[in-house]
Amino acid sequence: MVTPKGETQAATQEQQAGNGARVLEIPHVLTVKELGELMGVSPVEVIKELMKNGVMASINQSIDFDTAAIVATDMGFEAVEAKPQGEAAAVAEVAHELEAPLRVVIEEDDPSKLVSRPPVVTIMGHVDHGKTSLLDAIRKTNVTAQEAGGITQHIGAYQAETHGHHVTFLDTPGHEAFTAMRARGAQVTDIVVLVVAADDGVMPQTKEAIDHVRAAGVPLVVAINKIDLPQANPDRVKQELSEAGVIIEEWGGDTPCVQVSAKTGQGLDDLLETILVVAEVQELKANPERTAIGTVVEAELSSTRGPLATVLVQTGTLRAGDAVVVGETYGRIKAMINERGQRVREAAPSSPVEILGLQVPPAAGDRLAVVKDEKTAREIVTQHIREREALALRERGGLTLETLFGEISAGKVKELNVILKADVQGSVEAVRQAIERLGTNEVKARVIHAQTGTVTESDVMLAVASRGVIIGFNARVEPGAKRLAEQERVDIRLYNIIYQLTEDIEKALRGMLAPVYKEVVTAHAEVRQVFKVGRRGQIAGCYVRDGSVTRTDSARLLRDGQIAGEGKIDSLRRFQEDVREVQTGYECGIKIEGVEEFQEGDVLEFFRMEQA
Ligand code: GDP
């Protein structure tokens, strides 16, 4: 353990804790350098301590309180989180609102200020079943577009009106957008309309949409479309829906179902009314008097107008001139435009508006919040980016079978959500049943989506959105899905023997699954010269014979074919410069933890442990 130095400098922040350790107040996020200053030690000491805990950080890197606390404790302090004060407190509060689920934000509102707001609807269904046609048909008949010569324009969402009530439709049909938003922590949809073509019935994407909507817990309205076609067979559709687990009201279930034709307009009023009834049950409310919070549904960079974002206002009223934070960008709203291409000065809850004036285009799913002024907005964004970097450093990822039990024990997870892909329908059913029998009374595995076919990007997004794992049985993974899974840290497990699959899940649920690591040899180098450093320890001047040496690898010293030492790389240098990597054919200086003596002619074998 390193003893803290430079007491005088840090003394102002410290008190003596009961156990003799000195109390250190650490902010929510700070840089490595700032932590060093607080403790009165050099940042290098902090970096070393972080490395011992498996965190590679540079001097200006942001780390969060949890990470900083580990270092501080190791260095003999008792860490407590400092409460932000003054302006910093206001910044922290808005930053918190940006992160908090919207439901929490609305519940904190004064109930007497809450008023009903229009429902926000997403249309889903199989390709060619008429999602786009339905959105267009509703827009044409229920958006008073032509008034004032307005041309309807696509801004990602629009509001329809029926009998004096409004319904907001998101204009990006399909479950990909829905699940992608949810994976980013944004849920804007109150109701999903599931379109099923009367002549085609329940198809793979219909089932997929049902599973995605269920995982999100959003109510469903079924629209049986193309009812005008002579070959339309709504009864067959209802039958197939019940086989997929959606029981319509007419059959004793709780899902409303209407028959429509996007072509003739038949049933559209009925559909809108049904949506309003479902909305009424949900008691959707917002407080129009508070500062606005919204979510980005679409964004782009226009060559003539700069960054544009369509925002769905969720609570509060958004006004032209407001200073806003949107995800990791900010700005002052120069203009707001509605779906009719008209400039508006205000946007009430559940209305979509395109906003101009941001620094850069945000991403779909980003949260918008109104703040005091642009300066505050900039501070919040800076803070937000620092926090994200600090979190990324800790590599918090998706749920994996290895980390599952830890989360179960911590009470964070009660169920293992499984997305199952298999080669044929017979194995889908067999594997699903086998999985759902697993677990204990406290924790169970639940298959939230099961289908034949390859593992797709959509499966990965569903896994992110519902913190689940993907199990493939005799299934392949699409290259795009593999990349996305790596990026989002989604666990994809492939099996071709059913008992191995069930055994792994069972062990994971019971906390008995040890991660499997295998050694990967990354490079070999020859020791050509030996340098002394300090009283003890040597640096090996090496020539990399094959592969490439990475700073984070470990090395094994081979002398006359025998292993003569092993340890992590302590330093890797080229011409006195610390480097991250050295390729084949180059020379470098290497120091290895625990290896104090090298000889010319030694061979270093570099390796790292990777999860199998
Ligand atoms: P999406 O892929 O689900 O967005 O489907 P589209 O809206 O693009 O519709 C697919 C095809 O079905 C198009 O050729 C539409 O003209 C047609 N279509 C959509 N709705 C209806 C309908 O109610 N009746 C008939 N007869 N055709 C429809």
Side-chain angles (χ1 to χ4, degrees):
M1 194 167 67
V2 184
T3 17
K5 291 174 273 192
E7 271 106 326
T8 42
Q9 195 190 343
T12 47
Q13 332 268 349
E14 296 163 18
Q15 302 151 355
Q16 201 77 19
N19 57 7
R22 287 167 312 154
V23 176
L24 189 68
E25 281 198 11
I26 302 176
H28 189 47
V29 175
L30 75 177
T31 61
V32 167
K33 187 161 167 253
E34 287 163 350
L35 179 61
E37 282 165 7
L38 269 184
M39 296 194 292
V41 303
S42 107
V44 178
E45 296 291 334
V46 178
I47 291 172
K48 276 195 197 155
E49 207 58 42
L50 282 166
M51 272 162 70
K52 280 191 205 153
N53 287 292
V55 176
M56 299 296 157
S58 60
I59 185 161
N60 289 317
Q61 177 98 47
S62 298
I63 54 175
D64 63 0
F65 171 79
D66 290 349
T67 308
I70 293 171
V71 174
T73 309
D74 283 352
M75 299 183 87
F77 292 93
E78 185 178 316
V80 294
E81 191 165 348
K83 296 249 177 311
Q85 286 171 351
E87 224 167 77
V91 167
E93 197 170 309
V94 180
H96 169 73
E97 276 200 350
L98 281 169
E99 291 293 319
L102 199 75
R103 220 174 324 114
V104 177
V105 178
I106 292 174
E107 274 165 13
E108 282 167 5
D109 265 316
D110 178 353
S112 68
K113 300 235 163 80
L114 293 177
V115 298
S116 303
R117 63 170 177 84
V120 178
V121 177
T122 298
I123 298 198
M124 296 189 194
H126 194 71
V127 64
D128 278 347
H129 279 199
K131 297 179 292 293
T132 316
S133 309
L134 204 57
L135 278 164
D136 287 347
I138 296 169
R139 188 206 298 261
K140 262 193 219 115
T141 43
N142 297 78
V143 177
T144 41
Q146 275 66 31
E147 70 182 40
I151 309 159
T152 53
Q153 61 174 53
H154 172 89
I155 65 164
Y158 68 83
Q159 230 173 33
E161 199 184 330
T162 177
H163 307 297
H165 293 282
H166 288 99
V167 179
T168 303
F169 285 91
L170 294 185
D171 215 350
T172 17
H175 57 258
E176 289 83 0
F178 175 83
T179 303
M181 294 259 265
R182 221 162 68 76
R184 303 193 45 133
Q187 177 146 314
V188 296
T189 304
D190 301 308
I191 297 168
V192 168
V193 170
L194 181 69
V195 179
V196 191
D199 61 331
D200 203 21
V202 170
M203 298 303 280
Q205 282 171 294
T206 321
K207 287 192 191 150
E208 204 166 295
I210 293 171
D211 291 340
H212 283 236
V213 173
R214 258 216 199 112
V218 174
L220 202 64
V221 171
V222 171
I224 301 183
N225 188 33
K226 307 198 187 184
I227 202 75
D228 59 288
L229 291 175
Q231 65 272 39
N233 188 349
D235 282 336
R236 202 192 82 205
V237 176
K238 292 172 190 171
Q239 177 61 39
E240 288 172 353
L241 280 168
S242 76
E243 282 160 18
V246 176
I247 320 284
I248 61 167
E249 282 174 346
E250 188 191 334
W251 289 19
D254 51 15
T255 308
C257 173
V258 285
Q259 302 191 5
V260 298
S261 165
K263 192 174 171 194
T264 66
Q266 182 193 334
L268 293 189
D269 266 350
D270 202 8
L271 176 61
L272 288 170
E273 255 165 56
T274 308
I275 291 170
L276 288 172
V277 171
V278 175
E280 214 172 295
V281 177
Q282 281 182 287
E283 293 188 43
L284 306 167
K285 295 217 153 59
N287 173 7
E289 287 175 33
R290 56 160 292 152
T291 52
I293 293 185
T295 297
V296 175
V297 289
E298 248 184 39
E300 61 169 321
L301 184 62
S302 152
S303 54
T304 50
R305 299 188 295 160
L308 299 177
T310 297
V311 173
L312 182 74
V313 178
Q314 289 172 282
T315 190
T317 299
L318 188 63
R319 296 188 172 83
D322 279 345
V324 289
V325 174
V326 188
E328 292 190 354
T329 183
Y330 67 96
R332 176 177 292 282
I333 300 180
K334 280 196 283 193
M336 296 204 296
I337 292 153
N338 69 10
E339 71 266 23
R340 281 161 259 164
Q342 298 159 327
R343 276 196 169 221
V344 287
R345 299 220 40 90
E346 286 190 349
S350 290
S351 49
V353 272
E354 189 173 65
I355 60 172
L356 277 75
L358 297 178
Q359 299 283 326
V360 290
D366 276 348
R367 189 69 77 74
L368 166 143
V370 171
V371 296
K372 198 171 79 192
D373 49 30
E374 267 191 283
K375 178 172 160 279
T376 313
R378 192 176 55 235
E379 273 169 26
I380 290 170
V381 168
T382 314
Q383 170 85 357
H384 189 77
I385 293 173
R386 285 179 68 179
E387 285 186 12
R388 176 176 53 72
E389 284 173 359
L391 262 187
L393 195 71
R394 287 231 317 255
E395 300 198 313
R396 281 225 201 124
L399 191 71
T400 67
L401 285 191
E402 280 83 16
T403 56
L404 172 69
F405 192 70
E407 302 215 7
I408 292 172
S409 313
K412 289 190 206 152
V413 177
K414 295 231 154 33
E415 245 175 1
L416 172 64
N417 287 332
V418 174
I419 290 133
L420 171 67
K421 284 308 204 45
D423 52 347
V424 290
Q425 193 56 36
S427 34
V428 170
E429 282 317 314
V431 177
R432 179 212 286 267
Q433 284 173 17
I435 291 176
E436 290 192 331
R437 274 199 299 268
L438 300 172
T440 61
N441 280 340
E442 287 80 41
V443 279
K444 287 241 164 283
R446 189 166 69 111
V447 177
I448 59 168
H449 176 58
Q451 213 166 34
T452 55
T454 53
V455 176
T456 63
E457 286 186 27
S458 171
D459 295 325
V460 177
M461 285 319 252
L462 181 60
V464 177
S466 43
R467 295 207 75 215
V469 298
I470 298 175
I471 305 279
F473 185 73
N474 289 330
R476 283 187 316 104
V477 182
E478 281 179 8
K482 188 160 187 281
R483 263 196 307 277
L484 189 64
E486 276 164 16
Q487 192 185 322
E488 301 285 345
R489 293 174 191 279
V490 165
D491 197 5
I492 302 182
R493 304 225 160 198
L494 303 175
Y495 298 90
N496 42 35
I497 300 172
I498 205 165
Y499 86 80
Q500 283 179 349
L501 182 160
T502 50
E503 198 174 272
D504 273 6
I505 296 182
E506 184 70 25
K507 280 186 183 163
L509 289 170
R510 292 173 187 275
M512 295 179 323
L513 193 71
V516 186
Y517 287 97
K518 64 174 190 305
E519 182 185 303
V520 179
V521 172
T522 51
H524 289 95
E526 235 172 80
V527 178
R528 292 191 165 173
Q529 245 183 319
V530 179
F531 307 96
K532 269 185 100 63
V533 279
R535 256 172 295 142
R536 291 187 331 150
Q538 291 183 340
I539 289 180
C542 296
Y543 171 80
V544 182
R545 269 201 327 225
D546 59 71
S548 77
V549 182
T550 306
R551 176 71 186 77
T552 48
D553 288 347
S554 294
R556 171 176 305 132
L557 180 68
L558 303 174
R559 184 172 298 157
D560 307 322
Q562 303 280 325
I563 298 174
E566 193 174 295
K568 291 190 75 114
I569 297 181
D570 199 11
S571 78
L572 178 65
R573 292 185 158 191
R574 274 183 59 70
F575 308 112
Q576 310 302 323
E577 287 275 307
D578 280 318
V579 291
R580 284 194 50 222
E581 199 176 352
V582 181
Q583 305 277 352
T584 309
Y586 287 95
E587 294 187 331
C588 55
I590 298 176
K591 201 165 176 298
I592 293 168
E593 269 175 27
V595 176
E596 284 171 7
E597 183 252 325
F598 296 98
Q599 287 177 16
E600 277 173 41
D602 283 348
V603 171
L604 289 173
E605 179 172 78
F606 299 90
F607 63 96
R608 69 171 75 118
M609 301 307 283
E610 281 182 0
Q611 244 180 58

